[in-house]
Amino acid sequence: LGLDTVREFLTREEDTIVFSLIERAKHPLNLPAYQDHACFGPSSGRRRNDSFAELFVRESEEIQAKAGRYQSQGEIPFFHSRVPFTLAPPYNFTIDLYPAAASVNVNDAIWGFYFNELLPLLAKNGDDGNYAVTAASDLACLQALSRRINYGRYVAEVKFRGDQQRYTALISSKDKDALMTLLTSETQEDVVKRRVEKKAMVFGQDVTLDGPTETGDKNTSQSSFKVSPSVVYKLYDQWVIPLTKNVEVEYLLHRLD
Ligand SMILES: O=C(O)C(=O)C[C@]1(C(=O)O)C=C[C@@H](O)C=C1
């Protein structure tokens, strides 16, 4: 585990995130899927207060938990269930994280910004009734965002190991601000934001057989992309990077427990 390796992982996750957003943008907003107390058919065992999307994520995570998804430290569910066994054969996943800090995560914040702020920027108004397909693509977005942002734990572990003396001093004095400053690289953040914006242009254009496929094309206005590149830039600028940094700081604060 080194800084180059963890950054390669984050770079690859960008592809997953941009593609999952493109998939979600295929569907209209489908608001009823997100409303509390929404009633679809006979209420067979449904908990009140759950929106359809919430129920979909909860139940999907349960089956994925059984299948062993959360045996890997890199995956953190949004809802903790008490599924006692896994269907998957046991596998010795590598343990790279410090045990007392390994469960640090910001899934609640991810859930909040995804549904309240990002989704309205992503999906057009409308309702086509395809709630299951829509919720499935929400789940894909949430899982990709969660994996990327909570990967801040690994980034923090690498940074800690690379500069133990300075980090140890700041962790001991619980100096959050100084930790934040020490782990920040504005140059790197700028590279990441401009790269994801470009990925949204490259992955989100219509591919035809005539003409070159270039991002600098004069004819490609923002509206011709499947997901607006500026929305993807904003996603990273306002939520993904700041939350990753919060994960890093929280992880470090528990690194000496
Ligand atoms: O690459 C790093 O060094 C990270 O800590 C990751 C990240 C990011 O979220 O992309 C976060 C903080 C740094 O300022 C730069 C980038």
Side-chain angles (χ1 to χ4, degrees), residues 3 7 10 148 155 159 183-186 188-189 192 240-241 244-245 248:
L3 193 56
R7 282 187 177 160
L10 295 178
R148 192 286 179 198
V155 183
K159 290 185 176 176
L183 63 82
T184 295
S185 160
E186 269 163 29
Q188 177 64 12
E189 290 182 23
V192 170
V240 172
I241 293 176
T244 303
K245 292 165 73 170
E248 292 187 41

Side-chain angles (χ1 to χ4, degrees), residues 86-162:
T86 91
L87 300 172
Y91 180 83
N92 268 339
F93 285 99
T94 50
I95 311 276
D96 293 313
L97 300 175
Y98 186 72
S103 62
V104 164
N105 77 87
V106 291
N107 274 355
D108 287 349
I110 296 170
W111 184 275
F113 89 73
Y114 178 77
F115 286 112
N116 299 325
E117 311 200 57
L118 183 62
L119 204 47
L121 301 175
L122 213 59
K124 294 190 185 70
N125 282 326
D127 182 352
D128 67 2
N130 285 322
Y131 304 137
V133 184
T134 308
S137 58
D138 288 323
L139 177 61
C141 292
L142 287 167
Q143 288 178 328
L145 288 165
S146 172
R147 190 168 45 240
R148 192 286 179 198
I149 292 170
N150 293 317
Y151 198 76
R153 293 168 298 155
Y154 293 82
V155 183
E157 179 63 29
V158 163
K159 290 185 176 176
F160 174 81
R161 287 187 204 170

Side-chain angles (χ1 to χ4, degrees), residues 21-252:
L21 299 177
I22 289 173
E23 281 307 292
R24 179 58 188 86
K26 227 163 57 168
H27 311 287
L29 197 50
N30 284 340
L31 209 55
Y34 306 103
Q35 283 161 345
D36 289 351
H37 300 290
C39 193
F40 301 95
S43 54
S44 46
R46 277 196 61 194
R47 275 175 246 221
R48 287 183 67 77
N49 289 322
D50 282 352
S51 68
F52 173 80
E54 194 171 325
L55 197 82
F56 186 95
V57 171
R58 196 191 290 273
E59 302 263 321
S60 304
E61 284 190 342
E62 199 139 307
I63 180 110
Q64 296 197 13
K66 278 190 201 168
R69 183 180 185 114
Y70 307 110
Q71 300 298 104
S72 156
Q73 283 194 314
E75 302 284 337
I76 303 178
F78 285 85
F79 299 96
H80 285 277
S81 70
R82 291 194 200 87
V83 188
F85 60 92
T86 91
L87 300 172
Y91 180 83
N92 268 339
F93 285 99
T94 50
I95 311 276
D96 293 313
L97 300 175
Y98 186 72
S103 62
V104 164
N105 77 87
V106 291
N107 274 355
D108 287 349
I110 296 170
W111 184 275
F113 89 73
Y114 178 77
F115 286 112
N116 299 325
E117 311 200 57
L118 183 62
L119 204 47
L121 301 175
L122 213 59
K124 294 190 185 70
N125 282 326
D127 182 352
D128 67 2
N130 285 322
Y131 304 137
V133 184
T134 308
S137 58
D138 288 323
L139 177 61
C141 292
L142 287 167
Q143 288 178 328
L145 288 165
S146 172
R147 190 168 45 240
R148 192 286 179 198
I149 292 170
N150 293 317
Y151 198 76
R153 293 168 298 155
Y154 293 82
V155 183
E157 179 63 29
V158 163
K159 290 185 176 176
F160 174 81
R161 287 187 204 170
D163 196 352
Q164 289 213 22
Q165 267 195 339
R166 277 208 283 178
Y167 277 108
T168 298
L170 299 179
I171 295 166
S172 304
S173 57
K174 297 194 173 22
D175 194 338
K176 281 192 184 197
D177 293 342
L179 282 170
M180 189 61 97
T181 307
L182 185 55
L183 63 82
T184 295
S185 160
E186 269 163 29
T187 324
Q188 177 64 12
E189 290 182 23
D190 186 54
V191 168
V192 170
K193 287 185 279 191
R194 288 191 295 118
R195 186 173 55 220
V196 291
E197 186 182 38
K198 188 166 178 182
K199 283 182 179 181
M201 293 178 187
V202 174
F203 303 160
Q205 61 189 292
D206 283 324
V207 176
T208 56
L209 286 180
D210 33 72
T213 305
E214 282 170 15
T215 53
D217 195 325
K218 287 184 246 45
N219 300 323
T220 48
S221 70
Q222 288 270 333
S223 63
S224 69
F225 298 111
K226 288 164 188 137
V227 167
S228 159
S230 64
V231 167
V232 179
Y233 185 99
K234 182 184 161 101
L235 165 65
Y236 268 73
D237 183 45
Q238 297 210 350
W239 298 298
V240 172
I241 293 176
L243 285 173
T244 303
K245 292 165 73 170
N246 288 349
V247 169
E248 292 187 41
V249 170
E250 283 307 311
Y251 180 92
L252 288 165

